[in-house]
């Protein structure tokens, strides 16, 4: 359901940065199978356990060619990252999605770099 939501609301995802944890990699496979175009997937060791400073470091190293990037990781790090980058609180439960839009280059990622455009937790009706 998360993959379908992303396909409908976000569109093309250029790159997926995934935690090395088994559950995250399983989620990644399920999500990317629902996307219209298969993105490149990279396992990023710093996404586990996912301290906010480590997540920022991963973001700052993203290639300029990646316009839309999906992080598949863990809490509380992802919630903290959303708050740090956007200044907005966002509760992220299992399979929750936060869509941030940044203004600038990846190497500039830091506090206030983005706005929280959308948040969702896709569930069966």
């Amino acid at each position: 359901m998360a993959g379908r939501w992303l396909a409908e609301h976000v569109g093309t995802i250029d790159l997926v940065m995934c935690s090395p944890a088994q559950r995250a990699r399983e989620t990644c496979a399920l999500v990317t199978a629902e996307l219209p175009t298969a993105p490149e997937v990279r396992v990023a060791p710093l996404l586990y356990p996912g301290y906010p400073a480590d997540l920022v470091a991963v973001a700052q190293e993203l290639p300029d060619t990646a316009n839309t990037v999906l992080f598949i990781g863990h809490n509380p790090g992802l919630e903290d990252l959303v708050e740090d980058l956007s200044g907005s609180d966002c509760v992220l439960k299992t399979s929750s999605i936060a869509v941030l839009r940044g203004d600038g280059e990846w190497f500039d990622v830091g506090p206030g770099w983005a706005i929280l455009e959308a948040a969702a937790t896709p569930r069966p009706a």
Side-chain angles (χ1 to χ4, degrees):
M1 295 186 83
R4 281 182 251 142
W5 189 94
L6 287 165
E8 183 177 325
H9 294 92
V10 175
T12 301
I13 294 173
D14 302 309
L15 178 62
V16 177
M17 301 301 288
C18 184
S19 160
Q22 180 68 31
R23 185 171 174 194
R25 288 183 289 127
E26 290 168 358
T27 298
C28 182
L30 292 169
V31 167
T32 58
E34 297 295 329
L35 300 175
T37 305
E40 177 185 355
V41 175
R42 295 182 187 175
V43 174
L46 287 177
L47 293 184
Y48 186 81
Y51 299 112
D54 291 341
L55 300 178
V56 167
V58 170
Q60 289 173 337
E61 295 294 324
L62 292 170
D64 293 336
T65 56
N67 293 314
T68 304
V69 178
L70 173 63
F71 276 43
I72 298 178
H74 311 277
N75 267 328
L78 288 173
E79 285 181 350
D80 293 342
L81 181 69
V82 170
E83 184 175 351
D84 289 349
L85 298 185
S86 70
S88 299
D89 288 332
C90 184
V91 176
L92 298 173
K93 298 178 182 181
T94 301
S95 296
S96 286
I97 299 164
V99 179
L100 300 176
R101 181 167 310 278
D103 206 18
E105 304 297 326
W106 290 116
F107 60 81
D108 290 328
V109 168
W113 181 82
I115 60 167
L116 178 62
E117 282 197 338
T121 303
R123 298 284 189 251

